[in-house]
């Protein structure tokens, strides 16, 4: 996935990757990444947990504006099934 | 497919499923991945506010329309092709072909892997400027198909994204 992001970015389109394996991202170095140490197949969280999914999308889109250095990996530290999420109420980024 | 390819595919599938259950092993495996190590990392800038930005989704989770040819699970080196997913595709017309991870939860709620419905909602509410055509790959790709991905199929997708004037792309893995 990081390889695809790099290609898209060379076409002038900013990308944000949600990643589960930091070690792979450190090798492939996608332009920007959100690291969530969650099970494979669950990059945005648990089925039915809309607030969690929207929180991941929000923090990912936010990174499109905040990351200034290529290869940056943001780790929000959200633990699997041990966090409470609230739907973002404002999306006026940046 | 030769017996050797079949065995490789079965072992690869079992390995992928095992990695799903053993993240520490997966992290160790990741340390061997060095396809583009040392090459410069590009960084484009998003110049417009989110409410004006047209977004596209790209996943490597093996999502495709039921009417499309599934990803090739017989080639043990993977499948570097992609599928075009129109932004208005009903979710019940989508399925997942990817033997290298457990996608049973994603089949219950595709938003955990490929948030097409949520992105459509964000566009409808004006949080994003719109949702463009989306794309899907099958993330288990080994040499020699990595070269095809980098040189052919990923640039094709990037070209279509640019042609559609997409401003930003959210990528989600398996």
């Amino acid at each position: 996935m990081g390889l695809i992001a790099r290609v898209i970015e060379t076409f002038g389109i900013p990308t944000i990757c949600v990643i589960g394996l930091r070690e792979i991202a450190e090798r492939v170095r996608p332009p920007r990444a959100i690291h969530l140490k969650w099970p494979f197949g669950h990059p945005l969280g648990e089925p039915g947990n809309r607030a969690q999914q929207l929180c991941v999308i929000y923090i990912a889109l936010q990174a499109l504006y905040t990351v200034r250095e290529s290869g940056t990996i943001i780790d929000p530290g959200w633990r699997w099934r041990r966090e409470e999420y609230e739907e973002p109420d404002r999306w006026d980024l940046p | 497919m030769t017996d050797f390819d079949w065995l490789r595919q079965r072992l690869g599938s079992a390995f992928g499923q095992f990695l799903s259950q053993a993240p520490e092993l997966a992290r160790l495996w990741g340390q061997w991945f060095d396809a583009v190590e040392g090459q410069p990392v590009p960084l484009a800038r998003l110049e417009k506010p989110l409410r004006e930005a047209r977004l596209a989704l790209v996943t490597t989770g093996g999502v495709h329309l039921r009417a499309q040819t599934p990803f090739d699970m017989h080639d043990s080196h993977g499948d570097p092709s992609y599928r075009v997913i129109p932004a208005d595709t009903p979710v019940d017309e989508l399925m997942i072909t990817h033997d290298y991870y457990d996608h049973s939860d994603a089949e219950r709620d595709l938003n955990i892997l490929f948030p097409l419905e949520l992105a459509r909602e964000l566009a409808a509410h004006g949080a994003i400027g719109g949702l463009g055509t989306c794309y899907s790959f099958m993330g288990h790709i080994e040499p020699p198909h990595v070269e095809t991905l980098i040189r052919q199929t990923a640039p094709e997708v990037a070209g279509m994204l640019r042609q559609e004037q997409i401003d930003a792309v959210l990528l989600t893995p398996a």
Side-chain angles (χ1 to χ4, degrees):
Chain A
M1 182 181 63
L3 297 175
I4 299 167
R6 291 175 61 126
V7 171
I8 293 171
E9 201 98 10
T10 62
F11 277 65
I13 304 170
T15 65
I16 177 69
C17 292
V18 179
I19 62 160
L21 296 173
R22 191 181 183 98
E23 285 74 7
I24 292 180
E26 286 172 349
R27 289 276 175 168
V28 179
R29 300 193 71 209
R32 301 168 199 78
I34 299 293
H35 174 233
L36 293 163
K37 193 177 171 181
W38 292 349
F40 279 15
H42 302 74
L44 271 59
E46 296 181 75
N49 195 337
R50 174 186 166 86
Q52 181 186 35
Q53 297 158 10
L54 285 169
C55 283
V56 177
I57 294 172
Y58 181 85
I59 198 172
L61 296 178
Q62 188 178 46
L64 290 166
Y65 296 101
T66 57
V67 169
R68 291 283 180 265
E69 186 178 346
S70 61
T72 297
I73 300 173
I74 294 172
D75 193 337
W78 295 339
R79 302 159 300 173
W80 182 242
R81 289 182 175 165
R82 284 187 288 166
E83 308 287 345
E84 296 285 331
Y85 299 92
E86 285 186 20
E87 287 189 24
D89 54 357
R90 295 176 65 89
W91 290 78
D92 50 346
L93 295 170
Chain B
M1 184 166 62
T2 66
D3 288 347
F4 178 70
D5 282 342
W6 180 85
L7 182 62
R8 271 196 57 130
Q9 196 273 331
R10 296 311 307 163
L11 287 173
S13 177
F15 182 58
Q17 297 282 357
F18 183 58
L19 286 185
S20 295
Q21 308 299 321
E24 292 309 320
L25 181 62
R27 285 177 175 79
L28 191 64
W29 175 68
Q31 292 175 8
W32 297 98
F33 200 100
D34 59 354
V36 289
E37 196 173 15
Q39 295 183 17
V41 183
L43 193 74
R45 294 287 296 273
L46 180 51
E47 303 289 359
K48 56 177 70 171
L50 189 62
R51 66 177 178 279
E52 295 175 15
R54 284 174 49 75
L55 184 73
L57 307 177
V58 173
T59 185
T60 54
V63 176
H64 60 88
L65 282 128
R66 294 184 188 280
Q68 291 172 329
T69 304
F71 290 99
D72 182 1
M73 289 296 121
H74 298 297
D75 187 335
S76 58
H77 299 291
D79 179 350
S81 68
Y82 60 87
R83 304 291 180 271
V84 178
I85 315 286
D88 61 353
T89 302
V91 171
D92 60 7
E93 288 183 17
L94 294 169
M95 60 179 289
I96 296 172
T97 299
H98 195 318
D99 288 350
Y100 297 90
Y101 75 102
D102 181 353
H103 41 78
S104 53
D105 278 351
E107 284 164 359
R108 289 167 51 206
D109 181 358
L110 194 60
N111 281 318
I112 70 170
L113 181 88
F114 185 60
L116 194 61
E117 286 181 312
L118 291 177
R120 279 199 290 253
E121 273 186 43
L122 293 176
H125 294 151
I128 60 174
L131 180 68
T133 306
C134 300
Y135 299 88
S136 176
F137 291 82
M138 195 283 284
H140 179 89
I141 299 169
E142 298 177 352
H145 297 325
V146 173
E147 195 70 11
T148 307
L149 177 76
I150 295 173
R151 305 282 173 221
Q152 182 188 329
T153 52
E156 282 177 13
V157 167
M160 289 186 284
L161 291 165
R162 189 164 63 183
Q163 191 170 21
E164 203 179 342
Q165 297 184 307
I166 295 300
D167 297 301
V169 178
L170 171 64
L171 294 101
T172 50

